[in-house]
Amino acid sequence: MYLSIIIPAFNEARLILQCLDSVSKSLAANQRPGFKYEIIVVDNNSTDDTAKLARNAGARVVFEPINQIGRARNAGAASAGGDWFLFVDADSLLNQDMIADILKMIDSGQYVGCGSVMRMPDSPWWGTLILKVWTVISVTFRWASGALVVCRADAFRDVGGFSQDLYAADEIDLSRLLKQWGRKRRLKFTILKRFPLVTSARKLRLYSGREMASQFFQVLLSPRKSLQNKKKLPVWYDGRR
């Protein structure tokens, strides 16, 4: 098994080392004969020390000049050599039990990929409520969160990777395509639930409830126009860190 861990990163100097440390420790705890991996950080045109810190920590760094999450993930995949891809956001932390479950999923030969439920420490009450609602939706429809997507490399390439027409929700689009690809081959796409991915609640601290609600309703009322226009998605792209 050859697993490529791909971490898109835009101005993530504050958190990239914590993420990389969690990745390295989780993989080391699951080492076994025949298991190979690589760690790729995609510098998505950062203006801080993200790339330098990642390189010094031992990750391979590739550069994507256009600031778009889907492009960054695709750039990492294009340079990856693994037969499985694991995409994780730079503000998230892996754990060894989750990696163990992912490896079991891969070993079973029954899956095209997976996502994971999430835990968001220090989230405000309304953020916790939103996460609970999202968890129900994610598990019910088997939609992966962008914070963690795992899939076969051949399936990823066959479906065209992450949509570059979308500036957000591209992970939901990819989940749909992977399920279709897998269904033709009697392979499943699942959401892992036993060991949640820990992800940062920083957006919920950086943006007010009113700003978050405004963003949510804009996408809800006009999804196509919003998701295809970076200027209409400030929560993702205005650069607050």
Side-chain angles (χ1 to χ4, degrees), residues 154-174:
D154 57 347
F156 182 87
R157 296 187 182 103
D158 284 352
V159 304
F162 289 93
S163 173
Q164 294 183 181
D165 292 328
L166 300 173
Y167 284 87
D170 50 322
E171 67 275 7
I172 294 175
D173 179 68
L174 181 65

Side-chain angles (χ1 to χ4, degrees), residues 35-207:
F35 176 39
K36 295 182 2 180
Y37 61 85
E38 62 180 345
I39 302 172
I40 301 169
V41 171
V42 184
D43 172 19
N44 198 194
N45 207 22
S46 299
T47 57
D48 64 6
D49 288 336
T50 295
K52 179 181 177 181
L53 290 169
R55 200 173 285 114
N56 289 345
R60 179 156 61 89
V61 177
V62 300
F63 181 68
E64 168 52 54
I66 298 176
N67 188 217
Q68 181 186 12
I69 188 66
R71 284 182 181 271
R73 290 169 175 152
N74 287 342
S79 71
D83 44 29
W84 280 80
F85 295 157
L86 187 161
F87 299 91
V88 62
D89 282 356
D91 65 347
S92 299
L93 303 174
L94 297 184
N95 63 77
Q96 67 182 61
D97 294 319
M98 171 190 285
I99 292 295
D101 271 4
I102 289 171
L103 297 183
K104 287 177 185 176
M105 176 205 71
I106 294 173
D107 287 338
S108 75
Q110 298 178 25
Y111 294 89
V112 63
C114 72
S116 173
V117 299
M118 297 181 293
R119 185 167 65 85
M120 197 177 290
D122 303 319
S123 172
W125 69 267
W126 52 270
T128 300
L129 178 61
I130 291 171
L131 183 57
K132 286 181 178 179
V133 172
W134 164 252
T135 298
V136 172
I137 294 171
S138 174
V139 171
T140 301
F141 294 101
R142 289 175 292 132
W143 289 347
S145 159
L148 182 88
V149 182
V150 182
C151 65
R152 286 174 46 155
D154 57 347
F156 182 87
R157 296 187 182 103
D158 284 352
V159 304
F162 289 93
S163 173
Q164 294 183 181
D165 292 328
L166 300 173
Y167 284 87
D170 50 322
E171 67 275 7
I172 294 175
D173 179 68
L174 181 65
S175 298
R176 177 182 60 82
L177 295 173
L178 290 173
K179 285 191 289 184
Q180 290 176 354
W181 190 94
R183 199 174 296 122
K184 295 176 182 177
R185 296 160 178 82
R186 297 185 179 179
L187 298 173
K188 296 175 282 187
F189 186 88
T190 191
I191 304 298
L192 301 179
K193 299 183 285 292
R194 291 205 306 161
F195 303 103
L197 177 77
V198 175
T199 194
S200 170
R202 65 177 174 184
K203 286 189 185 298
L204 305 181
R205 295 192 298 268
L206 290 170
Y207 297 87

